[in-house]
Amino acid sequence: MRILHTSDWHLGRSFHRVSMLGAQADFIGHLVQTAREREADVVVVAGDVYDRAVPPLAAVELFDTALHRLAEAGIPTVMISGNHDSARRLGVGAGLIGRAGIHLRTSPAACADPVVLADRHGDVAFYGLPYLEPALVKDVLGVERAGHEAVLRAAMDQVRADLADRAPGTRSVVLAHAFVTGAAASDSERDITVGGVAAVPLDVFDGVDYAALGHLHGCQTLTPRIRYAGSPLPYSFSEADHRKSMWLIDLDARGEVAAERLDCPVERPLARLRGTLEELLADERHTAHEDAWIEATLTDPVRPADPMARLQERFPHTLSLVFAPERTGEDPLDSYARRLSGRDDRQITEDFVGHVRGGAGPDEAERTLLHDALDAVRTADHLGEVAR
C-alpha cells in the first residue's frame, strides 16, 4: 500500500498579513500531481485542514477544489479534523462525500470505525483519530479525568480492540493530531496544553503499523513508524529552516514501512537577518536573500528613522521588524515580552503569583486551581469558535 501523508494545510491562513491562498492552491495542485505520478494508493491528511473553525469563503472554495481533484483522480483520501478545525463543520456531508472516496473522520465516537482499503496483500485499516480536546471528549471515550494522554490512550485502546477482531494479517494506519513526546514545535502551532501537559508518549501508538501525525509544522521522524508530515507551507519565521515536504510511505505485506520524503513547492524562501540597519543594507552576504520573505532584527542602540522603508528598498519583501538593541549587563529596559518569551500560560500565571507574594509561588492546590481555570478558558474559546 502506497500512502501519501500530509497535514496542516491551514487553508485560509495568511503569513504576516500576506494571503497564502495562491501558494495553498499551488500546493493542492502539486499534491494531486504527485499522488498521480507516484501512483499513491491513498492520501492521508492528519488534521488542520482549515486555519480556523469558521474559515473564509475562499478557503472553503479551495477545499472544495481539492476534494473534486482528488475524487476525479480516483485517489482514496482519509482526512481528520485538527485543533484549528471545527470538527462538526468539516464533517458535514461526510457520508455522501465518502461515496466519492473522500473519507472525513471528525467524530471522537468513530475512532474505531476504520476506512478499509485493499491491495494485493490484503486489507489495510485506516483509523482516523480527530483532534481530541480532553474536556470535551472524556465522557465519550470513558475517561475519568481530562488529559491528552488519557483520551488518546482510550481512543487507541478502541483501535487495538477493533484491529484484534479483524482477519489475521490486516495492516493498520492511524491518523492522529497531537503533540507527541520527542517532537520539536515551532511558533505557529496553537498551544494545546492541558494542565501544563501537552505531549503524549510514543508508546500510545503501539500495535499499529504506521502513525501519520499532524499538528506540528516541522516534518519529523520520531520512529520509522511514527512521523509528522509537517505543514506544506511556512506559517511563521520560526520555520525559516524547515524543509517543507510530505511523506511517501510504502507498507509491505508484513506491515514494514519504507519512507521517502518529497519536497513541496516553495513560493518564496524565508530569511531571518540580524544586525544594525546599516549592516543589513550594506552586507553583500545578504544578496541571496533579497527576494526572500524577511524578518529583520535590528541591533542599533538607538532606533533608526524609517527602518522598514529603508529595508524594503533592498529587501522588498520584508514583513517583520524586531528591535533588539545590543546592551551589556542588566538592562532595566528589557521588554516584558522578552521576559515572557518561551513561557506558556501556566508558567506565566505561576510566576505572577510568586511575584506578587514576593517569591513564594502557588502551592499544589492553588496550582491545580490555576491549571483548571486555564483549561476552562481554552475549552470555552474552542466552543465559542465552533458556535460562531
Side-chain angles (χ1 to χ4, degrees), residues 1 94 145 210 228 253 272 301 339 358:
M1 182 73 67
R145 181 167 176 81
Y210 184 68
Y228 281 98
R272 308 177 94 173
R339 294 199 301 274

Short mmCIF file of all heavy atoms in Angstrom, two decimals, residues 1 94 145 210 228 253 272 301 339 358:
data_model
loop_
_atom_site.label_atom_id
_atom_site.label_comp_id
_atom_site.label_asym_id
_atom_site.label_seq_id
_atom_site.Cartn_x
_atom_site.Cartn_y
_atom_site.Cartn_z
N MET A 1 0.86 -1.19 0.00
CA MET A 1 0.00 0.00 0.00
C MET A 1 0.90 1.24 0.00
O MET A 1 1.76 1.38 0.88
CB MET A 1 -0.91 -0.01 1.23
CG MET A 1 -1.89 1.15 1.30
SD MET A 1 -3.26 1.03 0.13
CE MET A 1 -4.17 -0.39 0.75
N ALA A 94 -20.20 14.08 5.32
CA ALA A 94 -19.14 13.06 5.25
C ALA A 94 -19.63 11.78 4.60
O ALA A 94 -18.90 11.15 3.81
CB ALA A 94 -18.60 12.77 6.65
N ARG A 145 -10.63 11.63 34.11
CA ARG A 145 -10.05 12.97 34.21
C ARG A 145 -9.48 13.38 32.87
O ARG A 145 -8.77 12.62 32.22
CB ARG A 145 -8.98 13.03 35.29
CG ARG A 145 -8.38 14.44 35.45
CD ARG A 145 -7.55 14.57 36.71
NE ARG A 145 -6.91 15.87 36.78
CZ ARG A 145 -7.50 16.99 37.19
NH1 ARG A 145 -8.77 16.94 37.57
NH2 ARG A 145 -6.85 18.14 37.25
N TYR A 210 1.66 2.04 11.19
CA TYR A 210 2.13 3.39 10.89
C TYR A 210 1.21 4.41 11.53
O TYR A 210 -0.02 4.28 11.48
CB TYR A 210 2.18 3.63 9.37
CG TYR A 210 2.74 4.99 9.00
CD1 TYR A 210 4.09 5.29 9.24
CD2 TYR A 210 1.94 5.98 8.45
CE1 TYR A 210 4.61 6.54 8.91
CE2 TYR A 210 2.46 7.23 8.12
CZ TYR A 210 3.79 7.51 8.36
OH TYR A 210 4.31 8.75 8.04
N TYR A 228 5.66 12.91 11.63
CA TYR A 228 4.92 14.11 11.30
C TYR A 228 5.24 14.51 9.86
O TYR A 228 6.42 14.52 9.46
CB TYR A 228 5.34 15.28 12.20
CG TYR A 228 4.74 15.27 13.58
CD1 TYR A 228 5.46 14.77 14.67
CD2 TYR A 228 3.48 15.78 13.82
CE1 TYR A 228 4.92 14.77 15.94
CE2 TYR A 228 2.93 15.79 15.09
CZ TYR A 228 3.65 15.28 16.14
OH TYR A 228 3.11 15.29 17.40
N ALA A 253 3.72 -6.26 2.65
CA ALA A 253 2.77 -7.30 3.04
C ALA A 253 2.82 -7.61 4.54
O ALA A 253 1.83 -8.03 5.14
CB ALA A 253 3.03 -8.58 2.24
N ARG A 272 15.91 35.10 8.19
CA ARG A 272 15.95 35.91 9.41
C ARG A 272 17.32 36.58 9.47
O ARG A 272 18.35 35.90 9.57
CB ARG A 272 15.72 35.06 10.65
CG ARG A 272 14.47 34.20 10.58
CD ARG A 272 14.30 33.31 11.79
NE ARG A 272 13.46 33.93 12.81
CZ ARG A 272 13.05 33.31 13.91
NH1 ARG A 272 13.43 32.07 14.15
NH2 ARG A 272 12.27 33.92 14.78
N PRO A 301 21.71 50.63 18.84
CA PRO A 301 21.42 51.07 20.21
C PRO A 301 20.31 52.10 20.29
O PRO A 301 19.63 52.20 21.30
CB PRO A 301 22.76 51.65 20.68
CG PRO A 301 23.52 51.93 19.43
CD PRO A 301 23.08 50.93 18.43
N ARG A 339 10.93 38.93 28.49
CA ARG A 339 10.96 38.13 29.72
C ARG A 339 9.97 36.97 29.66
O ARG A 339 10.17 35.94 30.29
CB ARG A 339 10.64 39.02 30.93
CG ARG A 339 11.70 40.08 31.20
CD ARG A 339 11.61 40.60 32.63
NE ARG A 339 10.33 41.19 32.93
CZ ARG A 339 10.02 42.47 32.69
NH1 ARG A 339 10.92 43.26 32.09
NH2 ARG A 339 8.83 42.94 33.01
N GLY A 358 6.10 38.12 46.58
CA GLY A 358 7.49 38.37 46.95
C GLY A 358 8.36 37.15 46.94
O GLY A 358 9.37 37.10 47.65
#
